[in-house]
Every structure is written in structure tokens, then in C-alpha cells.
Amino acid sequence: MAKRTEPAGTDLVRLALAAQGYSEAKIAEILAGLGGMQAKAEGRSAAAQSKGAAATSGSVAVAGNVAGDVIVGRSSSSRKPTAKDLETAYLRHLVAGVGRVSLSGVDPGVATSDPQEQLQLQAVYTGLETTRYEGQRLFATGEENRTLTALESLESESRLVLLGDPGSGKSTFVHFVALCQAGDVLGLPNANRQVLTEPLPGREERQPWTHSGLVPVRVILRDFAAEGLPAEGEPATADHLWRFIARTLQKATLKGYASLLQKRLLGRGGLILLDGLDEVPKAQRRREQIRQAIEEFAATYGNCRFLVTSRTFAYRNQDWQLAGFQEAELAPFGDEQISRFIDRWYAHMASLGRVEARDAKGKAALLQGAIERSDRLRDLAKRPLLLTLMASLHAWRGGSLPERREELYADAVKLLLDLWERNRYQRDAKGKLRLEQPSLAAWLATDQEAVRRVLEDLAFEAHKAQPDLAGTADIAEDPLVGRLVRLSRAKGREVDQEKLVEYLSERSGILVARGEGVYTLPHRSFQEYLAACRLTRGSAYPKEIAGLARADPDRWREVLLLAAAKAAAGAGSTLWSLAESLCYREPESAKATLEDAWGAHLAGLALREAGALGEIEEPQEARWNLLRRWHVHLLGDERFSAVERAAAGTTLAELGDPRFDQEKWFLPKGPRLGFVEIPEGKFRMGSDPKRDSDSREEEQPEHEVDLPTYYMARWPVTVAQFRAFAEATEHEGVPKEFLVRPGSEPVVRVTRHDALAYSRWLGGCLRAEAERKKASGWGEEGSERTFWQGLAAGELAVCLPSEAEWEKAARGADGRTYPWGEKPEANRANDDESGVGKVSAVGCFPRGASPYGVEELAGNVWEWTRSVWAEKFSYPYVAADGREALDSLSRRVLRAGAFYLLPRLARCAVRSWDGPGLRNDFVGFRVVVSPFRSGL
């Protein structure tokens, strides 16, 4: 037998030392020393046994002044480990578990079992932002409201649920925080508080973090649900969660630390990281038990800080929100974050020897340029998971990338299959390489395509049967092994099933061993992609996938979108046949059902995913028009959540919004468009703290104001409307990227100057139309005729509304608190509780209309008024006191609230302000046709 030169636990030691920044040569030196020391210890132990002495239990894991007294939780034979030793062992074990990039396996160049050649998280990690605004501030105080980073949210909230879409970086953030917090206690040079608080790209200030010294405890909630909960029907307690943590420590040979950790958590506190709330199965009421356990644990261990992660959709659409926990949702990567990640990625590739150091900067620039030139790639790169895939594929492909999400997954799956199947070699005692395991295809005497088809079938079946709608499904060993064995038998070869199981469980790649006899795919996205591949095979397409998606859209949405993109890569007619299978009834048909509504919505999303909403050919025109009618209907369909209606609005903008005439969109066109008459008379303005507990000082006192008849725009000015003005007048100022956003959304980043310029232009257009109507004998009757006659006579003009005109249009004559009544209600406004989290297309909240029928007067975007904000112009409101002077450069009143604010800050009486020259991505405007004349 060859003499052992490295001690037991070498892999863990390697990881611990690598996390501390030691070079591969230095690690080899340390390990050699450890091997010698262990051999001596074993020799002493053997000598002691021969003399009848009691043997020392455990092996030595000492690296002197370099690695500390304890590395892997094994005690020295010379002394009993201290509390500090045990804590150090625990923290180093944690560092080893969280310090690697989970998707490094996607690149065969870096996917290796050698810890020194795996990607280190701290080398490539890029800070994350949330959609949460700093302090949820009401006022724009001369500066743009800044979004909080994920770390800032964790700093400010002792109980935080971090939400995000798949691949948005939730788990990576958990790992990074745990790594840096543990590294700070250990004194690691490249994982510590300084690394944790590094400024985000584009920001100068460091992120705050005042909680150094807290020991991190990471819990994967799916594992807790599987192993730590009581029987069905029994309440879950804090003790169940603690016992699970203690058992996890025992498995890691850290049993002695459990009681010390518990005392520390109860005393000084700690940082409890609970990852993957959405991945807890619904079955047997496990989610209810998990909620019970977390809430009681948070109450019992009150000195600890808590971070829970979950998919946004799963958390907000289930009745299981955690009491006492605040929410923050991760924002997509911005351009500067994308750039930093790519720079770090290639720099790390160079440090690993995967690319030449002299080429790293050039290749990083190539990838950044490819993303900047392609809207599709930029959109994909906003999700950290896909950006990591792109960077890996770019390096592997020598500097090229597919542009579509489906193609990225196709390449990634191929890479993972290559990794999974490649030959495995091992050096023998003499240092020579020998074949330990051949590739799976060679072993089974089949080809990779046959193996892939098995995986597609299993992914589809697992996805279809999965009780939960998030996370990856379990794939049982028996059907997996059985189908692979049948492949081999078809070729006349009999495979040793026990060795096949060993092969599958030891390999990393396209399948990951979750537990004994259970496998899963690396990420839900791969499960959905492989299921999509299965559904696009054969004659059952497109009816099978369309039927599944219409009946169970939550389960099959992503699968459908990937199937659509895959189909589009073949022939456009294939994609449109899918749209036809999804949507074939008119929205007003008596036979139309909820399935039909979902079919139309999903058809639109599928066409968007495939990039097929540009030029429409004649054979598709009828289907395209049907989808446009359906999407107008979907905006007001309250069977859909606000999030879904907002998504339908985005699709409608790409389909071409039929609510707006493309040539004369600015004119009143029927009952749902144009301007709404607000009749003359008095109304109650402001708020009374006796009636409204949310009343603010600047809204007081409540008082009566009398206004003449005027006409308020039904919705804020949209991107499409403002873009038409900018093109017609060559008006500049609004950043171009904000004029290519979905056309049915309110335009933002507009200054008061932009809004006034638009108003003057629109006024000229309307007066010209009024003159044409006058020349033709008017035609209209009633209020519409009065509207045009007032414009033709110069008695009415287009302008920004005064805040009095705005408030009356919002609350009517009865002084109601919200446009619809006295209380905030779900689904009536795009506010912080709607779940939309961004600006939405106009018309998504018809039930939020005011008594006069004006919409979107609560939430979505702040709106400019023409009224001056100044102390001398406080309430009561007096129009003639100078506050309506258009030539003033003073700050101006904003109304309506915005998508990021709580409902109470979107009441009709709420007032904010902004400097007239500032641009914010949550400030827009609407116009009014009014008797007001000053300055026009």
C-alpha cells in the first residue's frame, strides 16, 4: 500500500485553506505537513496500544500558526478543544460549504473535483440591489430616491424576507453573507466585513453593516421540511428547527459545538439564514408547519437577525407570509453590475489559468460589447443566473454567445451532459493516469442523445407530478436507473445496476444527488427546459403543451415559453400554430372561460419570448388581432392578479394597443379614452385628522374649493404618446431608453419643462382639430361639443392640472379618502401591495377609477401638477394667490403616489414635491383641458 502523505479530511482542509486565500503551492505544503504530523500521531497511537495504553480517539488536524489549531472539527491528541476551537471549526466548515460558485459546473474548463480549480464566490460576487426605495420616502427632496441594496435591507431589518425570481441571486446572497460574516470572525483576508460592504457598481459609498461578530447559521428549508418537522397535524415549534440544526452539526462532526452555538444565539444572537421558503412542499401542510417553526424560532431567539429567501410569486400568492417580517425584492442587474461581474469573471478565469492573463480584459470587453449591442442579451444578462451561464458559455465557446434564453439552456444542458458523461481518470500509486470510469454513453453502449431523451421524459414526468410549483422535483432512482439500463439492454449489454447507482451519485453535472435514492436537476430552469424539449417532440405538439398550460398555467408557464422559443427556432408557422391552440375564442363569446383567458395571456407571452411580435405576415393577421382584443380585455379581468394584468399590458404594447389610434391617438375616442368631464361645483380638499388617521400636516386643514367645469385626461400620458410628440417636435431631454419602453406605460423621467412642452404641443393639435370641426358644423352634441367649442374659442386650453383640479378628479365631491372609497383595497391600484413592483400599462386597474371615471389616480407614478410647493402656499388652497404661475422656477406639487409606496401614501389628499428640472423613474404626468389661462 502506498504511504499516505495527506491526512483524513483533506478535501475539507483544501476548501478551508482556499477560502482563506492561500495559493495552491502553499496548500500543498500545508497538507504535506499535516500528513507527516498525522503519521507521527498514528505511530504514537500504535505504540501506545502495543504497551496496553488506551488509544487516542480522532485524528490530528493541526497546521500550526498557518491554519490554526482546529480545521475540520477534530481535536488535537494533546489537549481538549476549547470553545474557540469548536467555533473556528464550525465557521471554517461553513466557509467550505458556501465559498464556491454553484454553477461553475456549467463550464468543463472550471467544473472539476479539484477544489483549487473551482470558482470562488468572493472572486466573482457582484452586489445586488432591491426594488425597495430608501426609507420608502414620500418626498423627493432635491435628490433622486435611491433603491436599497440587499445588504442595506438586511442591515435595517432584523426580520427580512428577500424575494426574487428564479436565478435572481437569492441563494448566492445568502452564501455571500454567510461567507463574509464567518470570514470576518475568522480573520480571512478575502472574505470579511470589508468585502461584504464593498460599494455597488456606480456608487461611491460603502454599504452599511453594523452587525459584525454574529455567527451565521444557514438552513436549507427544503431539507428541514424533509427531515426536521413533526408528523402531519402536529404543530411545529422552535425546538424542531433547533434540533434539525443540531443534527446537521452532528453530521459534520461538530456535535460538540451545538450547545455552545445555542447559548450564543440565545445570548449575543446570531444571523439565521433560512434559504428557499418557496421550495418547501405544500403536501401534508408542511408550509404551515414551516411558518410556525420560523415564527416561534424568531420569537424564542429574539436577539438574532433573520433572513428568509423565497420566489416572489410563491410568497405573495400564498397565505403564508411570515408575521413580523418585512419584504425586499431583488432588482435585476443593471449595466454597471453586469460589467463588474464580467470583469471579475474573466479576471478569476485568468487566476485559475483558464484563459491567458493578457487575454482576460479583451475577452471581458468582447462579452460586454455583445451584451450592449443586443437588447435580448442585455435582458437575459439582468438575471445573475443567466449572466453566469453566458459568461461560462462565452469562455467555453471562445467568445461567442447564443442570443435567446432557450439556446442558452440548450448549450448549458449540453455542457452539463458532457461533464456528466466524460471519462474519469485517477492517478495510481506510481502517479500514472488510469481510467476509473468511462463516459456514461460508452458504459451503456448508447449515445448522448438517447440519454438526453431519457432525461427529458423524466423531467417532464417529474414536473407534471410535482406537488409543489417551485424548486426542482425529486427524480427517484428506480425509474432513472431502470430506463438507463433498458437503453443498455437494447444494445445487448447488461449493466451492473449497483455500479450505475454509484456512478450517478458520485457525478456532478446534469443530475445532482439530493439524498439516498433521490436525484434532481441543478435548477428548476433546467427541469422546465428539458420538459419543454419533451413536449416539442413528436406529433402531440402543440396541442399537448397548449392543453396543459391552459388548464394549469402556474405549473406550465415557463415550460410553454421555452417550448415556444424552441419551436420558433424551426419555423414561424410552428409558433403561430401554438398560439392558435392556446387562443381561439373571442373574449366576448358566451363560451369563453377562464382557460380561454389564460390561453390568450400565455399566447401573448409565448410570442414575446420568441421575439415574434414585430412584422406580422398576412396569414397571422387575424390571430394577431384576436390577441389584441383579448389583451385589452385582460387588463380589466379581475380573475387575474395585478401582476398578471401588468404583464398583459406589456404584451399589449408590443402587439400594438388598439385603444389608441396610431395617427390621431390624442383625440377623445369613445367612452374609455380621451378626456373626462369634471362638472363645476364645490368639493372637499385636504384631510381632517379626526376622520383620516393617516392625515399629514401639509394636507391640513380640510376645506371647500369651488371649481368650474374642466376635462381631465383619463390616464397619465403614455410612452407612445410622448414619443409621438418628441418625434414631431424633435424635443430632447428624456433619455432615449425611456422612450423605447412598452408604449402603453406612463412616460417617466420627464421634467416639468417636458410636461409643459407636451401640453403646448397637444393644445395646438386639439385647437386645429376644433377648427376643423367648427368648419364642418361641429357634429357632436352635448358635453363633447362644448369641449370642442371651448377649445376653438380659446376659452379652454391644455395644461398640467392644478392640484385642486387633480384632487377633485380623484375624490369627487364627497371628499372620499381613495378614488374608490374610504379604505385601501387590493387590485385597485399599483402600489407597494399590488406585487407589480414597477410602472404598469395604463388601464390595468379599472376598479380603481374615481367617481368621474378617471383612472390611475392612486399609485403607478407620481404626477406633475402646475401648482407651486412653498410654505406661503399652504392650505387653504387659493388659486389666485400666485401658486399657479407657470413662469415660476419653484418646486412643484406631485400627486398620486407611486408603485413603490404603501397604500396610505397614495390617498387622494397626499402631496409631495420635486424640483422642476429633476428626472425620476417614478414621476410622470397627465394633462387637463381647463379654463385656466395664465402663462399660456
Side-chain angles (χ1 to χ4, degrees):
M1 179 179 295
K3 183 179 179 181
R4 185 174 66 193
T5 59
E6 293 186 348
T10 290
D11 287 345
L12 189 56
V13 178
R14 279 185 180 276
L15 287 173
L17 293 173
Q20 297 177 67
Y22 291 106
S23 67
E24 184 174 0
K26 189 64 177 177
I27 292 173
E29 178 185 337
I30 294 169
L31 290 174
L34 289 173
M37 296 173 72
Q38 181 169 333
K40 290 179 182 178
E42 289 171 347
R44 287 194 298 268
S45 177
Q49 287 181 22
S50 68
K51 295 177 181 179
T56 302
S57 63
S59 57
V60 177
V62 180
N65 294 329
V66 179
D69 290 332
V70 178
I71 293 180
V72 294
R74 302 183 180 205
S75 64
S76 167
S77 60
S78 61
R79 66 175 178 84
K80 183 178 180 180
T82 66
K84 182 64 175 177
D85 291 335
L86 291 170
E87 181 177 285
T88 299
Y90 164 72
L91 292 174
R92 286 179 174 158
H93 174 75
L94 179 64
V95 165
V98 300
R100 290 169 291 170
V101 177
S102 61
L103 280 182
S104 59
V106 82
D107 182 350
V110 296
T112 170
S113 59
D114 186 346
Q116 287 304 296
E117 296 184 1
Q118 294 182 351
L119 298 185
Q120 299 301 311
L121 175 59
Q122 69 272 18
V124 297
Y125 180 81
T126 301
L128 299 167
E129 287 188 82
T130 71
T131 59
R132 195 178 188 208
Y133 281 89
E134 187 175 23
Q136 292 286 288
R137 288 190 295 183
L138 173 61
F139 297 110
T141 55
E143 297 180 359
E144 294 183 6
N145 279 5
R146 184 176 68 83
T147 54
L148 293 173
T149 69
L151 186 63
E152 286 173 325
S153 298
L154 184 58
E155 158 76 17
S156 61
E157 302 293 349
S158 62
R159 307 285 187 270
L160 180 70
V161 179
L162 186 65
L163 304 175
D165 292 331
S168 60
K170 303 182 297 297
S171 293
T172 303
F173 178 70
V174 166
H175 291 181
F176 186 68
V177 170
L179 174 66
C180 291
Q181 192 76 351
D184 199 54
V185 177
L186 292 170
L188 303 186
N190 57 359
N192 49 46
R193 183 179 181 277
Q194 286 294 102
V195 175
L196 179 66
T197 61
E198 180 184 37
L200 257 65
R203 300 188 183 185
E204 296 181 358
E205 71 280 5
R206 280 193 168 275
Q207 301 177 74
W209 187 247
T210 58
H211 310 294
S212 296
L214 295 180
V215 171
V217 178
R218 183 175 68 111
V219 175
I220 299 172
L221 288 174
R222 184 185 183 101
D223 292 344
F224 172 47
E227 303 173 24
L229 290 177
E232 181 183 2
E234 295 182 16
T237 66
D239 193 49
H240 288 105
L241 180 50
W242 170 250
R243 288 203 300 266
F244 173 76
I245 293 171
R247 284 198 302 274
T248 304
L249 291 173
Q250 184 175 358
K251 290 178 183 177
T253 68
L254 293 165
K255 179 181 179 181
Y257 184 57
S259 61
L260 294 173
L261 177 61
Q262 187 174 37
K263 289 178 182 177
R264 186 180 180 109
L265 297 181
L266 288 168
R268 292 174 57 187
L271 181 60
I272 312 300
L273 305 166
L274 305 172
D275 196 15
L277 185 62
D278 58 293
E279 295 188 9
V280 175
K282 290 180 182 176
Q284 300 176 331
R285 302 181 68 184
R286 289 313 199 194
R287 287 186 169 178
E288 182 178 339
Q289 290 177 314
I290 286 285
R291 182 179 62 192
Q292 292 172 344
I294 293 174
E295 290 177 350
E296 185 174 313
F297 197 90
T300 303
Y301 295 81
N303 291 334
C304 292
R305 304 185 72 81
F306 287 79
L307 172 64
V308 181
T309 68
S310 175
R311 279 192 183 191
T312 305
F313 183 82
Y315 189 75
R316 287 181 173 164
N317 286 271
Q318 302 289 341
D319 294 328
W320 66 326
Q321 280 82 358
L322 296 169
F325 281 70
Q326 301 301 312
E327 296 177 21
E329 184 175 4
L330 287 176
F333 265 180
D335 291 342
E336 290 173 315
Q337 289 166 295
I338 292 170
S339 178
R340 178 178 288 184
F341 176 87
I342 293 170
D343 285 342
R344 289 184 168 180
W345 179 273
Y346 267 107
H348 195 42
M349 291 294 100
S351 73
L352 294 173
R354 297 300 171 188
V355 299
E356 293 290 337
R358 63 176 180 271
D359 295 335
K361 288 186 177 180
K363 289 191 173 183
L366 282 175
L367 178 54
Q368 289 175 15
I371 291 172
E372 289 171 2
R373 289 189 299 272
S374 168
D375 290 339
R376 286 193 167 274
L377 287 182
R378 187 184 298 111
D379 192 51
L380 291 173
K382 291 177 181 178
R383 187 177 295 189
L385 166 70
L386 295 182
L387 179 58
T388 306
L389 280 173
M390 290 163 67
S392 287
L393 291 168
H394 189 263
W396 179 74
R397 292 163 60 108
S400 65
L401 275 180
E403 290 199 7
R404 295 190 307 163
R405 183 169 67 132
E406 178 271 330
E407 291 175 334
L408 279 175
Y409 286 128
D411 278 359
V413 165
K414 187 178 188 309
L415 286 173
L416 289 169
L417 277 170
D418 288 342
L419 170 66
W420 192 35
E421 292 193 347
R422 69 182 179 180
N423 295 334
R424 176 178 286 181
Y425 296 91
Q426 188 174 29
R427 294 188 184 276
D428 60 21
K430 296 181 179 180
K432 292 184 178 181
L433 289 176
R434 63 178 177 82
L435 181 63
E436 181 185 18
Q437 287 180 342
S439 71
L440 183 63
W443 193 26
L444 297 175
T446 186
D447 55 58
Q448 190 180 99
E449 187 58 34
V451 174
R452 176 176 171 137
R453 284 195 296 271
V454 167
L455 292 174
E456 290 173 358
D457 290 342
L458 288 169
F460 167 73
E461 292 161 11
H463 191 80
K464 186 176 183 179
Q466 188 176 1
D468 193 14
L469 299 184
T472 51
D474 290 339
I475 297 175
E477 187 174 85
D478 288 346
L480 170 62
V481 170
R483 295 189 194 194
L484 291 174
V485 167
R486 284 197 292 274
L487 285 180
S488 185
R489 286 175 178 167
K491 299 292 185 179
R493 177 177 294 186
E494 193 66 36
V495 174
D496 186 325
Q497 293 193 31
E498 186 175 338
K499 287 187 176 180
L500 179 57
V501 170
E502 180 183 346
Y503 181 101
L504 295 172
S505 62
E506 291 182 356
R507 290 293 184 115
S508 62
I510 191 63
L511 283 181
V512 178
R514 172 127 63 198
E516 188 173 347
V518 178
Y519 301 87
T520 190
L521 289 151
H523 192 272
R524 186 174 177 85
S525 300
F526 292 107
Q527 175 180 306
E528 291 163 338
Y529 170 73
L530 289 170
C533 293
R534 152 64 178 78
L535 286 163
T536 53
R537 287 186 352 223
S539 59
Y541 176 85
K543 289 186 177 180
E544 184 179 16
I545 179 59
L548 289 168
R550 281 167 55 94
D552 193 354
D554 289 343
R555 182 183 301 274
W556 295 103
R557 178 202 302 253
E558 288 298 315
V559 177
L560 173 81
L561 299 184
L562 290 166
K566 186 172 177 61
S573 59
T574 308
L575 177 63
W576 281 94
S577 67
L578 174 60
E580 184 175 2
S581 294
L582 287 164
C583 179
Y584 44 84
R585 285 197 182 99
E586 289 287 344
E588 304 303 329
S589 168
K591 295 182 178 180
T593 65
L594 180 59
E595 281 195 11
D596 291 307
W598 272 110
H601 184 34
L602 293 171
L605 293 175
L607 292 169
R608 276 174 56 194
E609 176 78 18
L613 292 179
E615 294 292 328
I616 305 297
E617 298 180 1
E618 188 174 348
Q620 285 85 45
E621 190 170 349
R623 189 68 44 197
W624 175 63
N625 282 321
L626 174 61
L627 284 172
R628 295 208 303 165
R629 292 191 293 275
W630 257 111
H631 279 74
V632 172
H633 174 82
L634 291 174
L635 293 184
D637 192 334
E638 294 205 336
R639 295 174 297 180
F640 285 73
S641 69
V643 174
E644 300 295 355
R645 297 200 309 272
T650 303
T651 302
L652 180 61
E654 293 193 34
L655 284 166
D657 195 334
R659 297 176 299 170
F660 299 94
D661 184 295
Q662 293 300 308
E663 294 182 356
K664 298 181 179 179
W665 47 263
F666 50 82
L667 302 180
K669 305 282 284 187
R672 289 188 53 78
L673 288 181
F675 293 90
V676 176
E677 181 180 2
I678 313 298
E680 66 177 337
K682 296 179 180 180
F683 80 103
R684 291 212 310 266
M685 188 173 184
S687 61
D688 182 350
K690 294 180 180 179
R691 286 197 317 110
D692 185 352
S693 60
D694 293 317
S695 176
R696 303 172 66 92
E697 183 179 356
E698 65 272 8
E699 304 166 12
Q700 302 166 13
E702 187 178 59
H703 56 287
E704 275 195 345
V705 175
D706 196 1
L707 294 176
T709 298
Y710 61 98
Y711 304 84
M712 179 72 98
R714 183 177 297 276
W715 293 312
V717 173
T718 66
V719 171
Q721 291 171 331
F722 194 88
R723 185 169 59 230
F725 149 70
E727 291 172 354
T729 63
E730 298 184 350
H731 180 86
E732 296 182 352
V734 177
K736 290 182 180 179
E737 60 267 28
F738 286 88
L739 294 182
V740 295
R741 294 170 75 167
S744 298
E745 291 181 2
V747 66
V748 294
R749 288 270 172 176
V750 286
T751 65
R752 177 174 167 273
H753 165 72
D754 298 325
L756 289 175
Y758 175 91
S759 300
R760 287 191 291 268
W761 172 76
L762 179 59
C765 295
L766 290 180
R767 284 193 297 273
E769 180 66 16
E771 290 296 333
R772 286 192 291 273
K773 289 181 177 294
K774 180 179 179 180
S776 63
W778 299 112
E780 293 87 358
E781 299 293 337
S783 62
E784 190 167 351
R785 182 169 183 167
T786 303
F787 173 86
W788 291 112
Q789 286 178 331
L791 282 166
E795 297 169 354
L796 297 175
V798 179
C799 193
L800 293 175
S802 68
E803 63 170 325
E805 289 170 334
W806 191 98
E807 188 168 332
K808 182 177 181 180
R811 70 193 315 177
D814 58 9
R816 59 184 61 191
T817 303
Y818 293 90
W820 53 84
E822 292 306 312
K823 300 293 183 182
E825 293 183 35
N827 257 350
R828 289 189 185 264
N830 183 7
D831 54 34
D832 181 65
E833 295 187 357
S834 72
V836 175
K838 60 180 181 180
V839 175
S840 57
V842 299
C844 289
F845 296 89
R847 286 187 64 236
S850 78
Y852 302 112
V854 184
E855 298 181 25
E856 320 252 330
L857 291 166
N860 209 3
V861 293
W862 284 109
E863 298 178 12
W864 287 108
T865 72
R866 65 176 185 263
S867 302
V868 173
W869 174 282
E871 185 176 351
K872 66 179 180 179
F873 295 137
S874 59
Y875 283 1
Y877 176 88
V878 179
D881 62 4
R883 70 179 70 203
E884 302 302 337
L886 288 181
D887 56 355
S888 169
L889 298 179
S890 302
R891 297 173 295 182
R892 297 288 165 157
V893 174
L894 299 176
R895 289 302 196 108
F899 61 87
Y900 63 89
L901 290 171
L902 295 172
R904 63 184 174 81
L905 298 179
R907 293 173 295 110
C908 296
V910 169
R911 308 168 73 211
S912 184
W913 58 268
D914 212 346
L918 295 180
R919 300 185 186 278
N920 279 298
D921 57 7
F922 44 77
V923 175
F925 71 104
R926 76 176 72 214
V927 294
V928 66
V929 175
S930 165
F932 172 77
R933 299 172 57 84
S934 174
L936 290 176

